[in-house]
């Protein structure tokens, strides 16, 4: 049975913290699911960590649908949330079309979109149509050209706006809100004012849950660790060493051995060779 929106709400009510991680394909979804992650995010961060774009801005709805399908196929327990990419929810009608594709074609159980007060009417309409929505405020990567990649809400007016944004999203029916790069005390204050869970990334420990990017927590980059993350593995080094060994063994002819090869009856092979030799060649 998949985790439901109600299950996530119950976690908040019981004061149980909610782990969330991004996933972009079948295998990573399977691994996260088996590890007991209740919320998976097919984030548009896939643009950077999987597709090699410089930001989330170029990510298309087709790309999100394609990767989300794989994550849904790879998971059985987790509730899968898919990001609506940049400019795919600029109007209410467009948001309905985009979210509809994510639920109907990709099979995700909820969508996430960036923004507060300004997107609240869109959130309300999606929720009224039966589409669960997760909000995302603070640093919103789709607006990086406008706001810059920095902690949001350090000034009183900015902090006040973020509180208004969170309350507007809750009133619109969002089932949870991501708080990204928000000072920990402000994230605490927002969390205390909401009945729905906050999911932090770079927003301190008082949030109801935490979300992290797959590649960051597993150390899939050898040279970059954002401040808000912690490496729970060093997979770049592990994978690099494994591939170096593979390359060396193929070059040396020590892979494959008999163990990785199939055998064949000698007489059958000889019969095949005799047959081939007997046939005239052009
Ligand atoms: O796209 C993403 O991975 C996200 C998380 C950073 C919250 O939106």
């Amino acid at each position: 049975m998949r985790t439901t929106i109600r299950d996530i709400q119950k976690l908040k009510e019981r004061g149980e913290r909610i782990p969330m991680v991004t996933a972009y394909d079948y295998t990573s979804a399977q691994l996260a699911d088996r590890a007991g992650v209740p919320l998976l995010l097919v984030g548009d961060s896939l643009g950077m960590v999987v597709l090699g774009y410089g930001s989330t801005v170029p990510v298309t709805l087709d790309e999100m649908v394609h990767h989300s399908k794989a994550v849904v196929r790879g998971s059985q327990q987790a509730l899968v949330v898919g990001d609506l990419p940049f400019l795919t929810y600029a109007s209410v009608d467009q948001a309905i079309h985009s979210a509809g594709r994510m639920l109907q074609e990709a099979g995700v159980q909820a969508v996430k979109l960036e923004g507060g007060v300004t997107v609240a009417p869109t959130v309300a309409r999606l929720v009224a149509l039966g589409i669960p929505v997760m909000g995302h405020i603070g640093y919103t990567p789709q607006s990086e050209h406008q706001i810059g990649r920095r902690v949001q809400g350090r000034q009183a007016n900015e902090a006040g706006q973020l509180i208004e944004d969170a309350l507007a999203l809750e009133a619109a029916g969002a089932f949870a809100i991501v708080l990204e790069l928000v000072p920990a005390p402000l994230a605490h204050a927002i969390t205390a004012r909401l009945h729905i869970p906050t999911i932090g990334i770079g927003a301190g420990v008082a949030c109801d849950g935490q979300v992290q990017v797959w590649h960051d927590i597993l150390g899939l980059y050898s040279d970059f660790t954002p401040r808000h993350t912690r490496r729970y593995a060093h997979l770049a080094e592990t994978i690099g060493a494994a591939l170096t060994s593979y390359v060396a063994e193929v070059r040396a002819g020590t892979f494959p051995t008999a163990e990785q090869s199939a055998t064949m009856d000698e007489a059958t092979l000889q019969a095949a060779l005799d047959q081939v030799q007997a046939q005239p060649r052009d």
Side-chain angles (χ1 to χ4, degrees), residues 10-32:
K10 276 195 218 146
L11 293 177
K12 162 116 183 169
E13 283 159 15
R14 292 201 295 260
E16 286 179 42
R17 290 205 165 88
I18 307 164
M20 183 178 197
V21 69
T22 64
Y24 312 100
D25 61 25
Y26 179 81
T27 307
S28 54
Q30 240 182 7
L31 291 169

Side-chain angles (χ1 to χ4, degrees), residues 22 24 41 43-45 83 112 114 136 178 180 201 211 213:
T22 64
Y24 312 100
L41 173 64
D44 58 359
S45 51
D83 261 338
K112 175 166 81 58
E114 297 182 5
H136 183 161
V178 168
E180 181 164 358
I201 173 164
V211 58
V213 170

Side-chain angles (χ1 to χ4, degrees), residues 133-151:
V133 179
M134 176 177 270
H136 183 161
I137 59 173
Y139 172 65
T140 44
Q142 292 173 11
S143 316
E144 71 160 70
H145 297 310
Q146 206 161 37
I147 61 177
R149 185 176 167 78
R150 62 174 180 86
V151 173

